[in-house]
Amino acid sequence: MIAWIDHRFVLRSVPLSVTGSVFRCGVGLFETILHHANELPRFERHLQRLRASLAALPIAPNGPPPILGESGRVREVVLEVLQANTLVGKTARVNLFCFQDAPDDKASLCVAATPHSIHADSTCTLDVYPHAHTSHLCTHKTMANMHQRLAWDQARSAGKDDAVLQDHDGLVLECAVAALLFSDGQRFYTSRTPFKLPSLTMEAAAQALEIEEIPIPLADIGNFKHAYRLNSLIGIQPVAAIGKVAFEPDWKTCKPFSRKFLGLGEE
């Protein structure tokens, strides 16, 4: 894999100081963007979320990378990285990483791209991660993503696709790598909590669906008819089960939204 960092291409790895906060603590932010049919859906919104997190968290005291203020130039770099990895015209996962390796350094931007497959007609099953973790950092995509990563790894080891996260009161937050939505067959609900990432896919879904934020106890998820997992790479995907609780896949909602959201066109 060829990546781009601070105006140069690198092969597979990025040099980091072993005394720096990035290597020691994973201090940094990232975004994940879909590339499909030569399009980068919601590209500017991803940049806006990254900029907002950089403004909220003091990880780059010398200021963000200047290139982040130039959306057109960042897009050009993404396309250059796609070309370097022979991914132009193909489906890919694009990541933007922003970090400051040492106190006196300027903040860095790294762009990477890897092949991705879209499975718009698949359901998913979710595990329930038993450990709770809440902090203001839950509202940002931090590179020190250990709680979410451990939850995802445990779910994958159990043969599941993702994990449901909960707070210390047993309220549903989101999935390890996606937002979570429920429906009683008439209305749509997502968890009301200050400890989850502002989902750009949920934001897009809310333009077509009436979504209400309510507290959702994990013990009560069986009261819902449908459940959905949402992120920029999968669109909105039906959840077949969370733990031992089964849900009816809602293809009527998922198929048209995901095809439009992911740029797949009409069936």
Side-chain angles (χ1 to χ4, degrees):
M1 180 184 72
I2 299 172
W4 182 98
I5 178 170
D6 296 340
H7 309 285
R8 69 187 190 277
F9 287 101
V10 295
L11 184 62
R12 294 191 185 90
S13 60
V14 173
L16 293 174
S17 169
V18 295
T19 62
S21 60
V22 183
F23 180 85
R24 288 174 174 256
C25 305
V27 175
L29 296 160
F30 74 100
E31 283 290 328
T32 301
I33 305 168
L34 176 70
H35 172 261
H36 179 72
N38 291 321
E39 297 291 338
L40 296 164
R42 293 158 301 285
F43 183 76
E44 184 59 35
R45 286 293 294 118
H46 282 283
L47 289 185
Q48 289 172 357
R49 185 167 64 177
L50 180 57
R51 293 177 189 129
S53 288
L54 282 167
L57 302 175
I59 69 164
N62 295 332
I67 190 175
L68 272 184
E70 305 173 34
S71 299
R73 179 56 187 142
V74 178
R75 183 183 289 270
E76 289 176 358
V77 169
V78 169
L79 296 179
E80 290 170 10
V81 171
L82 289 165
Q83 185 172 25
N85 289 280
T86 65
L87 290 170
V88 174
K90 301 178 183 178
T91 303
R93 170 194 181 120
V94 175
N95 282 115
L96 309 180
F97 301 95
C98 189
F99 55 88
Q100 185 171 318
D101 193 29
D104 296 330
D105 285 350
K106 294 181 179 179
S108 294
L109 178 69
C110 178
V111 181
T114 54
H116 175 68
S117 297
I118 294 175
H119 303 285
D121 297 323
S122 65
T123 62
C124 65
T125 57
L126 309 180
D127 197 12
V128 176
Y129 195 53
H131 307 293
H133 170 76
T134 55
S135 87
H136 68 292
L137 295 178
C138 294
T139 63
H140 305 279
K141 290 181 73 72
T142 67
M143 289 164 56
N145 204 27
M146 182 173 281
H147 179 69
Q148 290 88 341
R149 181 69 197 201
L150 290 175
W152 189 84
D153 283 345
Q154 178 175 299
R156 300 293 288 182
S157 296
K160 309 296 184 181
D161 298 288
D162 202 345
V164 174
L165 306 181
Q166 58 183 310
D167 69 10
H168 295 278
D169 296 319
L171 297 175
V172 170
L173 297 177
E174 58 190 341
C175 295
V177 298
L180 195 56
L181 183 66
F182 295 92
S183 173
D184 57 11
Q186 296 181 332
R187 296 175 60 88
F188 295 88
Y189 305 91
T190 189
S191 55
R192 185 172 67 225
T193 171
F195 303 119
K196 68 177 182 181
L197 184 73
S199 167
L200 300 186
T201 315
M202 189 75 76
E203 177 183 280
Q207 296 176 12
L209 308 173
E210 186 176 344
I211 300 174
E212 182 180 354
E213 288 193 346
I214 61 171
I216 302 177
L218 186 61
D220 293 345
I221 61 174
N223 295 333
F224 294 107
K225 184 178 182 180
H226 309 296
Y228 317 80
R229 186 172 71 134
L230 304 83
N231 73 21
S232 292
L233 298 180
I234 61 176
I236 178 168
Q237 183 182 41
V239 175
I242 298 177
K244 296 181 179 180
V245 180
F247 298 93
E248 178 184 326
D250 178 14
W251 289 114
K252 183 178 179 181
T253 296
C254 294
K255 281 190 176 181
F257 176 84
S258 287
R259 296 197 70 82
K260 180 179 179 181
F261 183 83
L262 300 172
L264 301 179
E266 300 292 336
E267 281 193 293

